[in-house]
Amino acid sequence: MTKQDMTTLQAYGWNEHWRLMAAQIPKQDKALVPARITAQFSKQYRIITQEGEQAAIVTGKYEYEASSKSDFPAVGDWVMVEPLQGESRAVIHHLLPRQSAVTRREAGSVPDEQIIAANMDTVFIINALNKDFNVRRIERYLIAVWESGAAPVVLLTKADLCESPEAYVAEVEAVAPGVPVHAVSSLMDQGKEQLGEYLVQGKTVAITGTSGAGKSTLLNWLSGQEMQRVQGIREEDARGRHTTTHRELFVLPGGAIMVDTPGMRELQLWDSEEGFEATFADISALAQQCRFHDCRHETEAGCAVQEALQNGTLDAKRYANYKKTERELAHIARKERVSTRRQNKSSGKSSRKSDRGRKGAYQQLLYDDE
């Protein structure tokens, strides 16, 4: 790979870590080259390689061996591809191990994980300062981002719509200790200087939040050009339609890499125990102070959680969201265990049928030989 080729990939975040990961691909695949997923349209992808932008799909073998949807590439992933000679297309053979990934539970009766974006350094959680402002929703996004391995940053957009954005910043900081919270306004061009420390050349930032929160507007504002089309919102409930219809990666003029994602009406969590603990670390710390280690935080004597609720140091709505999310994650875990048992049982039946088939064929072979 030439110096010029390296420069092309480095603009999209290629570094020594990814070079070492790519070097571990089996030698028989030495014709493969690295690429990053820049857009996803179901199972069709747009990628960037040292030769520039190309279309791509996974190989038949890749698709056959994938056990879940999360095994397929997502925007932000680094992959090893085989460019097709004489075409601006390639096929994806390998997915390099992810450093981070924001996930959610995909809708449906069978639990499955969906990758929203991969290999981000920072995730901007967007919430507008209008009728859609919701601290409980921010807590849910914090769980997903902490679980991802990326660093969360909360951006309160449309700060021009309220008289005291500082009060909202303080409210979010109270439920997100240690997480940077910034109020910004693209309309008034306010707050951009606060974001410079995250928008570093070669670093990847994902934007996530509900529809109408101003994600595409934020991207356009930070880039200084219209990279994404923007739609209005309904004034009666401050909700918007999905401007972004697919996940896509952009390189900003300053060199930072940004991933825009479609708005989500509701974030269904997926296997988020660590993110849950990080988001509600204050409640977990209180629970450690209870007199009994198996305290259910209801009517037990010496319950530090109930004491904090009564004296006002723990917000009742925050605790209610904690309990609701705890039940939700436990329900997801149960469904996942049931699904795994069914799959294992089905796999065992298939294996036994296969063994019986092989045994029958072997016995028939002996009979024929006689």
Side-chain angles (χ1 to χ4, degrees), residues 37-40 45 73-77 115-119 247-249 259:
I37 307 292
T38 60
Q40 181 181 1
Y45 300 93
V75 171
D77 270 325
I115 307 297
I116 298 173
N119 299 317
R247 298 166 186 84
E248 190 164 359
L249 182 150
V259 180

Side-chain angles (χ1 to χ4, degrees), residues 321-338:
N321 196 35
Y322 167 85
K323 295 299 291 183
K324 176 185 176 183
T325 307
E326 185 179 49
R327 291 191 298 269
E328 178 184 346
L329 293 177
H331 177 67
I332 292 171
R334 286 194 297 271
K335 289 191 71 173
E336 197 176 346
R337 287 194 295 270
V338 170

Side-chain angles (χ1 to χ4, degrees), residues 46-87:
R46 187 161 68 237
I47 63 172
I48 190 75
T49 71
Q50 68 266 32
E51 301 298 331
E53 195 172 85
Q54 297 182 349
I57 58 172
V58 300
T59 65
K61 178 183 178 183
Y62 189 120
E63 185 164 6
Y64 176 76
E65 293 180 346
S67 59
S68 69
K69 289 187 177 180
S70 62
D71 292 332
F72 285 89
V75 171
D77 270 325
W78 285 96
V79 292
M80 299 301 291
V81 307
E82 177 188 2
L84 300 179
Q85 294 298 320
E87 301 183 48

Side-chain angles (χ1 to χ4, degrees), residues 17 45 364:
H17 168 81
Y45 300 93
Q364 182 64 43

Side-chain angles (χ1 to χ4, degrees), residues 98-302:
R98 294 170 175 134
Q99 285 194 306
S100 63
V102 173
T103 68
R104 69 171 177 176
R105 183 182 183 275
E106 190 169 56
S109 57
V110 179
D112 203 354
E113 180 183 26
Q114 181 184 40
I115 307 297
I116 298 173
N119 299 317
M120 310 81 52
D121 298 286
T122 304
V123 177
F124 287 166
I125 301 171
I126 310 299
N127 200 153
L129 290 178
N130 55 20
K131 295 178 182 178
D132 199 38
F133 178 75
N134 189 315
V135 173
R136 305 285 80 85
R137 188 186 300 123
I138 291 174
E139 287 175 337
R140 289 183 69 82
Y141 276 95
L142 282 169
I143 293 171
V145 176
W146 279 126
E147 187 72 23
S148 76
V153 175
V154 179
L155 297 190
L156 302 180
T157 58
K158 307 182 181 182
D160 53 282
L161 297 180
C162 67
E163 295 181 358
S164 56
E166 300 82 9
Y168 290 94
V169 170
E171 187 176 353
V172 175
E173 287 177 338
V175 302
V179 176
V181 183
H182 305 290
V184 300
S185 169
S186 58
L187 180 65
M188 304 300 292
D189 196 26
Q190 294 176 351
K192 186 183 293 186
E193 67 283 351
Q194 304 175 60
L195 309 183
E197 62 181 293
Y198 316 113
L199 304 177
V200 179
Q201 185 173 8
K203 297 296 183 179
T204 303
V205 179
I207 311 174
T208 189
T210 58
S211 180
K215 298 185 302 301
S216 296
T217 300
L218 178 74
L219 175 61
N220 293 340
W221 178 49
L222 295 176
S223 65
Q225 54 188 295
E226 188 170 351
M227 296 184 121
Q228 288 284 63
R229 186 168 57 88
V230 176
Q231 292 182 352
I233 62 172
R234 297 190 301 263
E235 292 299 332
E236 62 269 21
D237 60 4
R239 304 304 292 272
R241 291 176 293 173
H242 297 301
T243 299
T244 306
T245 58
H246 60 274
R247 298 166 186 84
E248 190 164 359
L249 182 150
F250 303 88
V251 178
L252 300 185
I257 304 149
M258 189 158 281
V259 180
D260 193 13
T261 64
M264 292 177 282
R265 293 298 187 201
E266 184 180 1
L267 175 63
Q268 294 284 346
L269 298 175
W270 173 268
D271 191 18
S272 306
E273 183 178 349
E274 291 184 12
F276 175 75
E277 290 295 329
T279 301
F280 293 105
D282 56 333
I283 298 177
S284 297
L286 283 171
Q288 295 297 318
Q289 300 173 28
C290 293
R291 181 181 301 176
F292 304 106
H293 73 276
D294 59 348
C295 182
R296 298 174 61 187
H297 318 306
E298 294 176 352
T299 59
E300 296 88 346

